[in-house]
Amino acid sequence: MNSMQKRRFQPVAAVLLGFTLLFAGCSGSNNGKIESASNTTGNAIAADAANFSYPMPGGIELTYMNETLGGTPERLPIDEEYEGRTGIRIRQLGGAPMTDQKFSLLLASGGLPDIFLNTWLQYPGGPDKAVEQGYILKLNDLIDQYAPNLKKTLEQHPEIDKMIKTDDGTYYAFPFIRSETGRVYGGPIIRQDWLDELNLSVPETIDEWHTVLTAFKEKKHASAPVTFRTLFLGERTGGFAGAFGVMGNFYVDDGKVVYGYLEPGYKEYLKTMARWYKEGLIDKDFASIDAATVDKKMTSGESGATIGWQFYIEKYNSAVQGTGKEASFVATPYPSAVKGQLPEFGQLDNAYAGTSSAAISAYTKNAEAAMRWLDYAYTEEGSLLNTYGVEGVTYNLENGKPVYTDLVVNNPEGLGSDQVMSKYSHSTNFPMIQQDNNLPAKYPATGKSISIWKKTNHEQHLLPPVTPTAEEADEMSSIMNDINTFVKETELKIIMGIESADNYDKYVQQMRDLGIERALDIQQAAYERYLNR
């Protein structure tokens, strides 16, 4: 950082210091492969970390992919700003989720991008295997050489350091670490105006939800009283399953790793969902609809409730109230079985969930530039940019504190503050330590949602980001590929009435036959190693 930049950002140092205390084509040819930091000096300018300053000279260009399937994303103002400040141009190549065939084809081609943003915990065999197989770099020595800001962050926050390495101490990616507030961002959403009109209270239990949805169907003539995508059933969030004391996938219960689909409560949950579906309370198309269709149903009156992310509330209220219609969308609590009790599950991420973590290709021709570009997010200046955007455009400093401009607060095009900031900042899903940006919401219900959704016992059940050994991960992958497919197909068949929930014990036995007990043993061993890191 040059002296002018140092002076420019000095007033907000105290603000950011408070924020950081969070936890009280491609590179192509194989000829550029790098096996360790000691081999990088021939590929990049040797630099003394103490004397380095941005922007990096040389007009460097790096290739980059993310984990969202699709084509090349639009180049945004934040991309231009990052290039100007770091001196490194990023050429976007689109995305490929870890679980998609496109990812496997990229590995086979030997053409990984210089920087690959993905969920490396999901790599077949685990991140250690990705390093061992020569696809991505082990970053330990490179961090010492070229990432002083990430290194300092890890030294200051051992709880983060523990999360982002494997059991043998290997650093494999620059992490996306959520802020404490940012760990909860989704839950049930409902039409408050319909509740008021029908003289109904916000539902808090499964029985109250049944009463409300029935009223929406019979008295508001909603064709799909509650609509949602399958990812909200009981794995990505607790959905309605938390009321039954269960959630999909692996979690911890009294120090033991369990698999929610094996638990008796899951059978009862599926029975209830099957009954609701038969009664016409659940969207008949839920198994195949996309986000845009859910949005349309929520804003057209076809549906009165859903499960979604925080700014869906902002989006729905803006879409409907902007047309002059009287509609009010608010967050509701995750349901419990008994009124007054907290549900066991809702939506809560680990601070490090493994998503949006940036690994560096072992075939990159400029490991130093990749490290420098990524390390910028962990500087004070980079943190301010990623949180509040560009000074003079999205915020101004008033008494040393960032204050949003009208571009964000009263956007002339009618865009929500989150939509504006998605163009000028990296407030989420980017390799960085997320800071709370206190983004203004047009509707009070948006801001109130997090405090409503976080009232669960989810924290005590979180399985941390464990890393099975390469051999264990290979075995896990082999077992879980079959089980994951089986579980999803069975779940949908039962809810849609194709199969009876009374047969669920048979399906549990089939999971045991497919090796779920061995998978649980592997997860338990990895969990215990994690605790001992």
Side-chain angles (χ1 to χ4, degrees):
M1 186 184 305
N2 60 38
S3 59
M4 182 175 69
Q5 289 171 317
K6 286 179 181 176
R7 289 196 300 270
R8 180 183 178 189
F9 287 92
Q10 197 171 18
V12 297
V15 176
L16 290 175
L17 178 60
F19 283 156
T20 55
L21 300 178
L22 302 176
F23 302 98
C26 307
S27 298
S29 170
N30 293 1
N31 296 333
K33 183 174 180 181
I34 300 169
E35 296 179 356
S36 68
S38 62
N39 294 335
T40 64
T41 54
N43 301 296
I45 301 171
D48 182 348
N51 296 325
F52 177 82
S53 63
Y54 294 103
M56 195 171 181
I60 301 164
E61 180 178 272
L62 300 174
T63 52
Y64 178 98
M65 289 188 73
N66 61 40
E67 58 190 328
T68 303
L69 189 64
T72 304
E74 175 189 1
R75 189 167 172 83
L76 299 171
I78 181 62
D79 301 315
E80 300 289 348
E81 192 71 18
Y82 242 74
E83 179 179 338
R85 296 189 184 193
T86 63
I88 300 164
R89 183 175 180 81
I90 296 296
R91 181 158 58 93
Q92 300 269 4
L93 300 178
M98 187 72 64
T99 54
D100 192 84
Q101 185 182 15
K102 183 179 177 181
F103 183 88
S104 300
L105 293 174
L106 276 169
L107 295 182
S109 73
L112 292 181
D114 294 299
I115 299 172
F116 205 163
L117 192 72
N118 223 299
T119 308
W120 291 95
L121 287 174
Q122 294 179 350
Y123 183 84
D128 277 326
K129 194 65 171 285
V131 173
E132 176 189 319
Q133 291 177 333
Y135 290 118
I136 64 174
L137 291 175
K138 181 176 180 177
L139 300 181
N140 296 52
D141 292 342
L142 290 166
I143 289 172
D144 288 339
Q145 288 183 280
Y146 305 128
N149 298 289
L150 174 62
K151 183 176 181 179
K152 182 179 179 181
T153 297
L154 299 182
E155 290 172 347
Q156 292 176 340
H157 298 284
E159 73 281 3
I160 297 177
D161 182 67
K162 180 178 181 178
M163 296 180 204
I164 69 165
K165 59 189 177 186
T166 64
D167 291 327
D168 71 359
T170 294
Y171 298 102
Y172 55 91
F174 281 70
F176 169 49
I177 304 293
R178 288 192 176 277
S179 69
E180 187 62 27
T181 301
R183 294 173 64 199
V184 175
Y185 48 84
I189 300 168
I190 204 165
R191 286 280 300 261
Q192 179 67 62
D193 58 306
W194 282 10
L195 293 176
D196 294 341
E197 181 183 336
L198 299 171
N199 198 29
L200 294 168
S201 300
V202 171
E204 297 179 6
T205 67
I206 282 293
D207 288 343
E208 289 177 353
W209 267 96
H210 183 265
T211 298
V212 164
L213 294 178
T214 300
F216 284 0
K217 177 189 175 186
E218 295 178 351
K219 298 181 180 180
K220 296 303 299 179
H221 308 294
S223 59
V226 62
T227 185
F228 48 76
R229 290 176 286 155
T230 56
L231 65 88
F232 294 108
L233 268 179
E235 178 181 342
R236 189 64 184 84
T237 75
F240 295 108
F244 298 85
V246 292
M247 185 174 174
N249 222 325
F250 295 98
Y251 54 85
V252 177
D253 196 0
D254 292 329
K256 181 181 179 182
V257 179
V258 299
Y259 188 59
Y261 298 111
L262 298 178
E263 299 302 300
Y266 216 84
K267 178 179 179 179
E268 297 308 310
Y269 157 66
L270 289 177
K271 276 186 176 181
T272 300
M273 292 300 100
R275 178 164 59 90
W276 287 12
Y277 186 87
K278 185 176 181 180
E279 293 174 0
L281 305 183
I282 296 176
D283 190 341
K284 68 181 186 306
D285 300 321
F286 83 93
S288 59
I289 57 178
D290 58 15
T293 304
V294 171
D295 292 349
K296 181 179 179 181
K297 292 190 177 191
M298 286 296 292
T299 55
S300 67
E302 292 181 65
S303 299
T306 189
I307 303 173
W309 309 136
Q310 179 189 23
F311 271 87
Y312 284 17
I313 297 173
E314 192 85 349
K315 177 169 59 175
Y316 296 159
N317 280 318
S318 295
V320 175
Q321 295 184 24
T323 64
K325 297 179 181 178
E326 292 190 7
S328 175
F329 298 86
V330 300
T332 65
Y334 278 95
S336 61
V338 179
K339 200 172 185 67
Q341 289 185 356
L342 289 179
E344 289 303 302
F345 297 94
Q347 180 274 313
L348 178 69
D349 279 7
N350 281 298
Y352 176 62
T355 57
S356 304
S357 295
I360 297 176
S361 168
Y363 300 104
T364 184
K365 295 180 180 179
N366 202 329
E368 180 190 350
M371 295 291 292
R372 296 295 192 189
W373 187 82
L374 290 166
D375 194 51
Y376 180 74
Y378 302 87
T379 66
E380 179 184 303
E381 179 183 330
S383 180
L384 187 64
L385 172 62
N386 286 325
T387 305
Y388 291 105
V390 181
E391 184 178 1
V393 179
T394 56
Y395 77 94
N396 291 310
L397 287 176
E398 297 182 11
N399 299 319
K401 296 182 179 181
V403 176
Y404 288 110
T405 64
D406 279 345
L407 179 68
V408 179
V409 179
N410 298 300
N411 185 266
E413 297 177 17
L415 298 177
S417 57
D418 62 314
Q419 294 174 295
V420 177
M421 292 303 291
S422 69
K423 298 180 180 182
Y424 289 92
S425 70
H426 293 132
S427 58
T428 189
N429 298 327
F430 188 76
M432 63 182 184
I433 308 294
Q434 184 184 48
Q435 317 295 354
D436 294 329
N437 58 13
N438 302 309
L439 198 60
K442 185 177 180 181
Y443 299 94
T446 308
K448 295 177 181 178
S449 60
I450 302 303
S451 61
I452 293 172
W453 290 332
K454 70 190 303 182
K455 294 178 181 178
T456 72
N457 290 323
H458 202 132
E459 182 78 53
Q460 67 190 39
H461 297 294
L462 269 180
L463 182 67
V466 300
T467 53
T469 66
E471 293 75 17
E472 289 173 339
D474 277 337
E475 191 176 359
M476 272 286 292
S477 179
S478 177
I479 294 170
M480 295 311 299
N481 282 343
D482 291 336
I483 289 178
N484 287 336
T485 300
F486 174 75
V487 162
K488 291 304 177 188
E489 290 178 352
T490 300
E491 187 175 53
L492 290 177
K493 286 178 180 178
I494 289 176
I495 293 175
M496 299 172 75
I498 300 169
E499 298 281 354
S500 172
D502 292 332
N503 296 327
Y504 197 70
D505 293 341
K506 177 185 71 175
Y507 301 127
V508 168
Q509 184 56 52
Q510 285 182 257
M511 283 185 262
R512 298 189 193 282
D513 293 341
L514 289 169
I516 190 61
E517 299 291 355
R518 174 56 185 156
L520 280 165
D521 289 342
I522 291 172
Q523 290 286 70
Q524 184 70 35
Y527 175 57
E528 291 174 3
R529 289 196 303 269
Y530 178 90
L531 295 178
N532 291 322
R533 285 181 186 175

